[in-house]
Amino acid sequence: LELLKKYDIVQTLHNVGAILLRNFSVNTADQFLFIAKMITNDLMSDNGEHNPHPEIDGVYTPVSYSAKEKLLWHNENSFNQTWPLMIMFGAAKTADQGGETPIVDSRSMLKYLDKHIVEEFKNKGVMYVRTHGFGFGRSWQETYRVNSKIELEKKFTDNNIQFEWCGDDQLITKQVK
């Protein structure tokens, strides 16, 4: 906690994009949430991609990956209407081997792209296409935390998300961001 008080974590994150903190005692989800709230009050509460902690609102468990697979660089929750400007990970158990999570400042990638390509992305956006109920990933009920198609369709309409039902529980969504 003294480390957090000594340094302006938020300003440092803004300047460098990522900070890796090691070797301080955070052993429970409650403690992790306490630390997170010291850094930001803007905790995301609509994270349908991950399982919420059963007792601690605002803490989620990650998507499980096989030890044989690599978790590649990605923009966490970028498919949501709003996505986190800051994300925090905590390891409840450190992996004996592997287990690395890439920590990347996506903003820095823009420096390496041709300015015309960047401008095209700004003009056209990026289309996210998601499928639910086709035998992989989470169901639409788990992802969006609703059981009613009517409620879900309203959410899509309100947020400018195109959708197509392909059977009772199969869904394809598209959104340009």
Side-chain angles (χ1 to χ4, degrees):
L1 293 180
E2 291 305 314
L3 173 71
L4 295 176
K5 292 176 186 173
K6 182 177 179 182
Y7 298 102
D8 185 347
I9 298 292
V10 175
Q11 186 60 48
T12 303
L13 276 169
H14 179 74
N15 292 341
V16 300
I19 299 174
L20 179 61
L21 302 173
R22 294 185 183 268
N23 301 322
F24 65 104
S25 183
V26 176
N27 300 311
T28 67
D30 279 328
Q31 291 172 341
F32 183 79
L33 185 61
F34 178 79
I35 296 293
K37 285 183 175 180
M38 286 183 71
I39 296 170
T40 182
N41 289 322
D42 188 23
L43 295 177
M44 190 171 181
S45 61
D46 188 21
N47 188 342
E49 195 65 23
H50 302 282
N51 294 320
H53 189 282
E55 299 163 7
I56 312 295
D57 190 37
V59 175
Y60 296 85
T61 58
V63 173
S64 296
Y65 268 81
S66 162
K68 296 175 186 173
E69 296 180 52
K70 284 190 170 190
L71 178 63
L72 301 175
W73 166 38
H74 62 286
N75 289 303
E76 192 70 32
N77 281 282
S78 56
F79 52 82
N80 284 338
Q81 281 307 109
T82 58
W83 51 296
L85 297 177
M86 182 185 313
I87 189 164
M88 293 173 238
F89 296 98
K93 179 185 181 306
T94 305
D96 295 328
Q97 181 178 345
E100 296 89 0
T101 297
I103 301 173
V104 179
D105 181 0
S106 298
R107 301 170 301 179
S108 65
M109 188 63 194
L110 291 176
K111 292 187 285 189
Y112 299 100
L113 294 176
D114 181 280
K115 67 180 180 179
H116 300 315
I117 292 172
V118 172
E119 203 55 41
E120 281 291 308
F121 273 106
K122 285 181 180 179
N123 291 333
K124 292 182 178 181
V126 175
M127 178 180 280
Y128 289 91
V129 178
R130 299 190 71 195
T131 58
H132 301 278
F134 289 87
F136 56 89
R138 300 173 69 85
S139 70
W140 60 267
Q141 295 93 333
E142 292 171 306
T143 300
Y144 299 104
R145 295 202 172 89
V146 297
N147 290 313
S148 161
K149 286 184 178 181
I150 293 170
E151 184 180 351
L152 183 59
E153 289 175 5
K154 180 177 180 347
K155 187 177 198 173
F156 289 156
T157 302
D158 291 348
N159 291 292
N160 200 27
I161 298 172
Q162 300 170 27
F163 62 93
E164 176 185 354
W165 292 104
C166 305
D168 286 338
D169 280 332
Q170 295 177 324
L171 171 67
I172 299 173
T173 62
K174 295 178 183 177
Q175 60 182 317
V176 176
K177 304 201 53 168

